[in-house]
Amino acid sequence: MDLLRYLNFFVTVAEERHFGRAARRLGMTQPPLSQGLRRLEDHLGVRLLDRGPHGVALTTAGRDLLPRSRSLLEDAAAIHRTASRHVEAARTLRIGAVPDLGARTGARLAAHAARRTGRRTSLTTGSTVSLIDAVSAGTLDVAVTGHPAVIEDARAGPVIALPTTVLVPRTHPAAEAVGPVRLRALRDLELATAPRAHAPAAHDLLLDTLETRGHPARPVEVDDPTAALALVATGAAFALVADRDLDCDEVRGIALAGEPVLFRVRIVYGDETEAEVVDELAAVLRIIATEAGAGAGPGTRTAAGTGTGTA
């Protein structure tokens, strides 16, 4: 017997207190509704409704079973909703990325993954910590996060190093330098960087690296790449960036003397994520790293991005 269907008949008639109105609400005729209720009563072994010329009244058993029936129907609906979400999740490849990569790189990753897998692809941006938590919880399939980081219950994929450029205010002397600039030339500027809570290990490594290269740590934390660019534009800070598309007239991109400061990312993924997805994302990131390195030679004057770099 279709218990849930007949319980829905019962609840609807109990609420309407009239078979005709209940039938119209259910989009059916009255005879099969009445037959369904009788089958339910036969199945349960109790009479649920008293049928009279002026309508329907609940019996004692009906009054007792009505809230339980509503609860069961609500639980069944919740089960269907949850199952539908899982069906949709199976159809959609859910990718996460740190905003430092930039909108163009994020879109490129999603597009390549969609073509490789033939699945609908969604992209979520967030901090390294939040993305790793999402992969560990199963709400994301794969994510490109800052490195190093504690990966919790996610699986560790490859690490890719992306070149960075230094963004400085247009009015700063370093903006007029002919060749690469040493970090100590930026000692009068603060470092615009994402909050430490977004990726503690990567944040600390970056500051340690800059200090050993002549720029004692004076970070000012900003919530997103746009805020970092704005802070540089005001003349107060510089930023290490990996996104070549972030730019404005008030900043200049310069090359650092010595070893490059790299923004390292790691791909993390869940147990059910296909290896081909991880391989595809890694391949795209390596291509982007090569393109960025080829386009950022000594003395470059083009702004290049967003976020923070890590050594």
Side-chain angles (χ1 to χ4, degrees):
M1 189 184 73
D2 190 346
L3 180 61
L4 290 176
R5 180 168 180 258
Y6 293 147
L7 284 176
N8 189 38
F9 288 1
F10 165 53
V11 170
T12 305
V13 172
E15 290 174 348
E16 295 293 339
R17 300 299 174 101
H18 191 276
F19 273 89
R21 290 194 298 268
R24 286 192 294 273
R25 177 172 151 186
L26 291 168
M28 60 189 302
T29 59
Q30 188 170 332
L33 173 60
S34 180
Q35 292 169 9
L37 279 188
R38 292 194 183 281
R39 288 180 183 175
L40 177 63
E41 290 175 324
D42 290 342
H43 177 74
L44 296 176
V46 294
R47 196 174 77 259
L48 301 172
L49 303 167
D50 282 330
R51 300 154 177 82
H54 302 294
V56 177
L58 288 167
T59 65
T60 300
R63 286 192 297 270
D64 186 32
L65 290 174
L66 180 59
R68 299 172 187 270
S69 299
R70 285 194 178 111
S71 179
L72 186 57
L73 291 171
E74 290 168 0
D75 288 343
I79 289 172
H80 280 288
R81 289 193 298 270
T82 301
S84 296
R85 287 197 295 269
H86 282 281
V87 169
E88 183 61 25
R91 294 173 178 166
T92 303
L93 177 64
R94 302 161 300 174
I95 300 175
V98 287
D100 308 72
L101 294 176
R104 188 185 298 271
T105 295
R108 192 169 171 181
L109 290 169
H112 277 261
R115 285 196 293 269
R116 179 67 179 268
T117 63
R119 295 164 63 185
R120 177 181 177 181
T121 302
S122 66
L123 180 71
T124 300
T125 58
S127 70
T128 290
V129 170
S130 66
L131 293 176
I132 291 174
D133 286 345
V135 173
S136 299
T139 56
L140 285 178
D141 298 305
V142 61
V144 181
T145 66
H147 176 76
V150 178
I151 62 172
E152 301 295 342
D153 295 327
R155 301 183 67 179
V159 175
I160 295 96
L162 301 174
T164 64
T165 292
V166 182
L167 291 185
V168 299
R170 181 170 57 89
T171 56
H172 193 272
E176 302 303 323
V178 175
V181 175
R182 295 192 176 276
L183 266 171
R184 65 173 60 96
L186 308 178
R187 290 170 67 98
D188 58 325
L189 297 174
E190 297 175 313
L191 169 67
T193 182
R196 182 178 184 275
H198 286 192
H203 183 276
D204 293 346
L205 179 58
L206 171 63
L207 298 189
D208 289 345
T209 299
L210 296 186
E211 186 162 2
T212 60
R213 294 184 57 176
H215 192 288
R218 286 193 302 129
V220 54
E221 296 184 347
V222 291
D223 288 333
D224 56 59
T226 302
L229 180 66
L231 193 62
V232 175
T234 66
F238 75 98
L240 283 159
V241 298
D243 175 9
R244 293 181 295 166
D245 297 315
L246 191 67
D247 196 3
C248 70
D249 293 338
E250 286 74 24
V251 305
R252 290 292 183 268
I254 64 172
L256 281 181
E259 290 295 319
V261 179
L262 301 173
F263 176 54
R264 287 189 170 89
V265 295
R266 182 190 284 279
I267 299 175
V268 299
Y269 57 100
D271 291 335
E272 299 182 5
T273 302
E274 303 93 329
E276 66 177 5
V277 172
V278 178
D279 293 342
E280 183 68 18
L281 296 184
V284 173
L285 288 170
R286 291 188 182 105
I287 291 171
I288 291 171
T290 300
E291 293 172 348
T300 180
R301 311 295 299 171
T302 304
T306 174
T308 64
T310 62

Short mmCIF file of all heavy atoms in Angstrom, two decimals, residues 89-120:
data_model
loop_
_atom_site.label_atom_id
_atom_site.label_comp_id
_atom_site.label_asym_id
_atom_site.label_seq_id
_atom_site.Cartn_x
_atom_site.Cartn_y
_atom_site.Cartn_z
N ALA A 89 24.17 17.57 -6.77
CA ALA A 89 25.61 17.61 -6.48
C ALA A 89 26.37 16.62 -7.36
O ALA A 89 27.49 16.89 -7.81
CB ALA A 89 25.86 17.29 -5.01
N ALA A 90 25.78 15.47 -7.61
CA ALA A 90 26.44 14.47 -8.45
C ALA A 90 26.55 14.96 -9.89
O ALA A 90 27.48 14.57 -10.61
CB ALA A 90 25.67 13.15 -8.40
N ARG A 91 25.62 15.80 -10.31
CA ARG A 91 25.65 16.33 -11.68
C ARG A 91 26.59 17.51 -11.82
O ARG A 91 26.99 17.89 -12.92
CB ARG A 91 24.25 16.76 -12.10
CG ARG A 91 23.25 15.63 -12.22
CD ARG A 91 21.86 16.18 -12.47
NE ARG A 91 20.89 15.11 -12.63
CZ ARG A 91 19.56 15.30 -12.58
NH1 ARG A 91 19.08 16.52 -12.40
NH2 ARG A 91 18.74 14.28 -12.72
N THR A 92 26.93 18.15 -10.70
CA THR A 92 27.72 19.37 -10.71
C THR A 92 29.08 19.14 -10.09
O THR A 92 29.18 18.59 -8.99
CB THR A 92 26.98 20.48 -9.94
OG1 THR A 92 25.69 20.70 -10.51
CG2 THR A 92 27.77 21.79 -9.98
N LEU A 93 30.13 19.56 -10.77
CA LEU A 93 31.47 19.53 -10.21
C LEU A 93 31.68 20.84 -9.46
O LEU A 93 31.66 21.93 -10.06
CB LEU A 93 32.52 19.39 -11.32
CG LEU A 93 33.98 19.43 -10.88
CD1 LEU A 93 34.29 18.25 -9.96
CD2 LEU A 93 34.90 19.43 -12.08
N ARG A 94 31.88 20.74 -8.16
CA ARG A 94 31.96 21.93 -7.31
C ARG A 94 33.43 22.24 -7.04
O ARG A 94 34.11 21.52 -6.33
CB ARG A 94 31.19 21.68 -6.02
CG ARG A 94 29.72 21.34 -6.23
CD ARG A 94 29.10 20.66 -5.03
NE ARG A 94 29.79 19.40 -4.72
CZ ARG A 94 29.54 18.65 -3.65
NH1 ARG A 94 28.61 19.03 -2.80
NH2 ARG A 94 30.21 17.54 -3.45
N ILE A 95 33.89 23.36 -7.58
CA ILE A 95 35.29 23.77 -7.47
C ILE A 95 35.39 24.99 -6.56
O ILE A 95 34.55 25.88 -6.60
CB ILE A 95 35.87 24.12 -8.86
CG1 ILE A 95 35.79 22.90 -9.79
CG2 ILE A 95 37.31 24.61 -8.75
CD1 ILE A 95 36.24 23.19 -11.20
N GLY A 96 36.42 25.02 -5.74
CA GLY A 96 36.72 26.18 -4.92
C GLY A 96 38.06 26.77 -5.31
O GLY A 96 38.94 26.06 -5.81
N ALA A 97 38.25 28.06 -5.10
CA ALA A 97 39.53 28.70 -5.42
C ALA A 97 39.72 29.91 -4.51
O ALA A 97 38.76 30.62 -4.19
CB ALA A 97 39.57 29.13 -6.88
N VAL A 98 40.95 30.15 -4.11
CA VAL A 98 41.25 31.35 -3.35
C VAL A 98 41.12 32.55 -4.29
O VAL A 98 41.47 32.47 -5.47
CB VAL A 98 42.67 31.30 -2.74
CG1 VAL A 98 42.71 30.34 -1.57
CG2 VAL A 98 43.71 30.91 -3.80
N PRO A 99 40.63 33.68 -3.80
CA PRO A 99 40.42 34.84 -4.67
C PRO A 99 41.72 35.41 -5.23
O PRO A 99 41.69 36.14 -6.23
CB PRO A 99 39.71 35.85 -3.76
CG PRO A 99 40.01 35.40 -2.37
CD PRO A 99 40.15 33.92 -2.42
N ASP A 100 42.87 35.07 -4.62
CA ASP A 100 44.16 35.55 -5.11
C ASP A 100 44.39 35.18 -6.57
O ASP A 100 45.15 35.84 -7.28
CB ASP A 100 45.29 34.95 -4.27
CG ASP A 100 45.08 35.17 -2.79
OD1 ASP A 100 44.19 34.52 -2.23
OD2 ASP A 100 45.80 35.98 -2.20
N LEU A 101 43.76 34.09 -7.04
CA LEU A 101 43.97 33.65 -8.42
C LEU A 101 43.34 34.61 -9.42
O LEU A 101 43.78 34.69 -10.56
CB LEU A 101 43.38 32.25 -8.61
CG LEU A 101 44.05 31.12 -7.85
CD1 LEU A 101 43.29 29.82 -8.06
CD2 LEU A 101 45.51 30.97 -8.28
N GLY A 102 42.30 35.31 -9.02
CA GLY A 102 41.63 36.24 -9.92
C GLY A 102 40.47 35.61 -10.66
O GLY A 102 40.39 34.39 -10.82
N ALA A 103 39.57 36.46 -11.13
CA ALA A 103 38.36 36.00 -11.79
C ALA A 103 38.66 35.26 -13.09
O ALA A 103 38.04 34.24 -13.40
CB ALA A 103 37.43 37.18 -12.06
N ARG A 104 39.62 35.75 -13.87
CA ARG A 104 39.92 35.13 -15.15
C ARG A 104 40.47 33.72 -14.97
O ARG A 104 40.06 32.77 -15.65
CB ARG A 104 40.90 35.98 -15.95
CG ARG A 104 41.12 35.50 -17.37
CD ARG A 104 42.19 36.34 -18.05
NE ARG A 104 41.79 37.73 -18.13
CZ ARG A 104 41.08 38.25 -19.14
NH1 ARG A 104 40.72 37.46 -20.15
NH2 ARG A 104 40.76 39.53 -19.16
N THR A 105 41.38 33.55 -14.03
CA THR A 105 41.94 32.22 -13.78
C THR A 105 40.89 31.28 -13.23
O THR A 105 40.81 30.11 -13.62
CB THR A 105 43.12 32.31 -12.80
OG1 THR A 105 44.18 33.05 -13.42
CG2 THR A 105 43.64 30.93 -12.43
N GLY A 106 40.04 31.77 -12.31
CA GLY A 106 38.97 30.94 -11.78
C GLY A 106 38.04 30.45 -12.88
O GLY A 106 37.67 29.27 -12.93
N ALA A 107 37.66 31.36 -13.78
CA ALA A 107 36.78 30.97 -14.89
C ALA A 107 37.47 29.98 -15.82
O ALA A 107 36.84 29.05 -16.33
CB ALA A 107 36.36 32.22 -15.66
N ARG A 108 38.74 30.16 -16.02
CA ARG A 108 39.50 29.26 -16.89
C ARG A 108 39.56 27.85 -16.28
O ARG A 108 39.39 26.85 -16.99
CB ARG A 108 40.90 29.82 -17.07
CG ARG A 108 41.73 29.17 -18.15
CD ARG A 108 42.97 30.01 -18.39
NE ARG A 108 43.92 29.34 -19.27
CZ ARG A 108 45.10 29.87 -19.61
NH1 ARG A 108 45.44 31.06 -19.13
NH2 ARG A 108 45.92 29.22 -20.41
N LEU A 109 39.78 27.77 -14.99
CA LEU A 109 39.79 26.47 -14.32
C LEU A 109 38.44 25.77 -14.46
O LEU A 109 38.37 24.59 -14.77
CB LEU A 109 40.13 26.66 -12.84
CG LEU A 109 41.56 27.07 -12.51
CD1 LEU A 109 41.66 27.48 -11.04
CD2 LEU A 109 42.54 25.95 -12.81
N ALA A 110 37.37 26.53 -14.21
CA ALA A 110 36.03 25.94 -14.29
C ALA A 110 35.71 25.47 -15.70
O ALA A 110 35.15 24.38 -15.91
CB ALA A 110 34.98 26.95 -13.81
N ALA A 111 36.07 26.27 -16.70
CA ALA A 111 35.76 25.92 -18.08
C ALA A 111 36.51 24.66 -18.52
O ALA A 111 35.94 23.78 -19.17
CB ALA A 111 36.11 27.09 -19.00
N HIS A 112 37.79 24.57 -18.18
CA HIS A 112 38.57 23.39 -18.57
C HIS A 112 38.03 22.14 -17.88
O HIS A 112 37.94 21.07 -18.50
CB HIS A 112 40.04 23.60 -18.22
CG HIS A 112 40.79 24.38 -19.25
ND1 HIS A 112 41.58 23.81 -20.21
CD2 HIS A 112 40.85 25.72 -19.47
CE1 HIS A 112 42.09 24.74 -20.98
NE2 HIS A 112 41.67 25.93 -20.56
N ALA A 113 37.68 22.26 -16.59
CA ALA A 113 37.15 21.10 -15.87
C ALA A 113 35.82 20.66 -16.46
O ALA A 113 35.54 19.46 -16.57
CB ALA A 113 37.00 21.43 -14.39
N ALA A 114 34.98 21.62 -16.85
CA ALA A 114 33.68 21.28 -17.45
C ALA A 114 33.86 20.54 -18.77
O ALA A 114 33.18 19.55 -19.04
CB ALA A 114 32.85 22.54 -17.64
N ARG A 115 34.79 21.02 -19.58
CA ARG A 115 35.02 20.35 -20.87
C ARG A 115 35.61 18.95 -20.66
O ARG A 115 35.28 18.02 -21.39
CB ARG A 115 35.95 21.19 -21.74
CG ARG A 115 35.29 22.41 -22.35
CD ARG A 115 36.11 22.99 -23.47
NE ARG A 115 37.38 23.54 -22.99
CZ ARG A 115 37.54 24.80 -22.62
NH1 ARG A 115 36.51 25.64 -22.65
NH2 ARG A 115 38.70 25.24 -22.22
N ARG A 116 36.46 18.81 -19.69
CA ARG A 116 37.12 17.52 -19.47
C ARG A 116 36.13 16.48 -18.94
O ARG A 116 36.18 15.30 -19.31
CB ARG A 116 38.27 17.69 -18.47
CG ARG A 116 39.03 16.42 -18.12
CD ARG A 116 39.79 15.89 -19.33
NE ARG A 116 40.54 14.69 -19.00
CZ ARG A 116 41.79 14.67 -18.59
NH1 ARG A 116 42.46 15.81 -18.46
NH2 ARG A 116 42.40 13.54 -18.33
N THR A 117 35.22 16.90 -18.06
CA THR A 117 34.32 15.95 -17.41
C THR A 117 32.94 15.88 -18.04
O THR A 117 32.19 14.92 -17.80
CB THR A 117 34.14 16.31 -15.93
OG1 THR A 117 33.51 17.60 -15.82
CG2 THR A 117 35.48 16.36 -15.20
N GLY A 118 32.56 16.89 -18.81
CA GLY A 118 31.22 16.93 -19.38
C GLY A 118 30.15 17.24 -18.35
O GLY A 118 28.96 17.05 -18.62
N ARG A 119 30.55 17.73 -17.19
CA ARG A 119 29.59 18.04 -16.12
C ARG A 119 29.42 19.55 -15.97
O ARG A 119 30.31 20.33 -16.31
CB ARG A 119 30.08 17.45 -14.79
CG ARG A 119 30.13 15.95 -14.76
CD ARG A 119 30.98 15.43 -13.61
NE ARG A 119 30.44 15.79 -12.31
CZ ARG A 119 31.08 15.53 -11.15
NH1 ARG A 119 32.27 14.93 -11.17
NH2 ARG A 119 30.54 15.86 -10.00
N ARG A 120 28.26 19.93 -15.45
CA ARG A 120 28.07 21.31 -15.06
C ARG A 120 29.06 21.62 -13.95
O ARG A 120 29.30 20.80 -13.07
CB ARG A 120 26.64 21.52 -14.58
CG ARG A 120 26.36 22.92 -14.07
CD ARG A 120 24.93 23.04 -13.59
NE ARG A 120 24.66 24.34 -13.03
CZ ARG A 120 23.50 24.70 -12.51
NH1 ARG A 120 22.50 23.83 -12.49
NH2 ARG A 120 23.32 25.91 -12.03
#
